Amino acid sequence: MCTNIVYEWLKTLQLPQYAESFVDNGYDDLEVCKQIGDPDLDAIGVAVPHHRRRIHEAVRRLKEADETTAGLYFTLEPQP
């Protein structure tokens, strides 16, 4: 399996064993992972309750990180 951002994310959660299942089920980037809910974890095969909690907490942190950077943008227009 090739290394990707989802694998690295799961590795930091100490859950790399789910990486292949995540990718096989279409969760191949963190934007998609932000939408994960209980039915998705069922489909991926995450049955261990504390693994599910760890993933839910990490998804919440990903969403919070988005909210804190939502107003940040760059422009390439020349300055007057």
Side-chain angles (χ1 to χ4, degrees), residues 4-20:
N4 69 17
I5 190 71
V6 173
Y7 172 77
E8 293 300 325
W9 179 64
L10 289 167
K11 197 164 102 175
T12 64
L13 300 176
Q14 299 177 355
L15 299 171
Q17 67 269 33
Y18 298 112
E20 189 171 344

Side-chain angles (χ1 to χ4, degrees), residues 9 34 55-65 67:
W9 179 64
K34 291 176 191 174
I55 292 169
H56 280 306
E57 177 64 23
V59 167
R60 185 188 61 75
R61 287 192 308 265
L62 285 174
K63 289 178 180 177
E64 284 178 358
E67 290 172 9

Side-chain angles (χ1 to χ4, degrees), residues 33-68:
C33 288
K34 291 176 191 174
Q35 309 306 315
I36 289 176
D38 283 320
D40 305 299
L41 293 179
D42 291 340
I44 292 167
V46 182
V48 180
H50 67 274
H51 289 181
R52 292 172 76 97
R53 281 192 301 274
R54 202 178 304 167
I55 292 169
H56 280 306
E57 177 64 23
V59 167
R60 185 188 61 75
R61 287 192 308 265
L62 285 174
K63 289 178 180 177
E64 284 178 358
D66 264 4
E67 290 172 9
T68 60

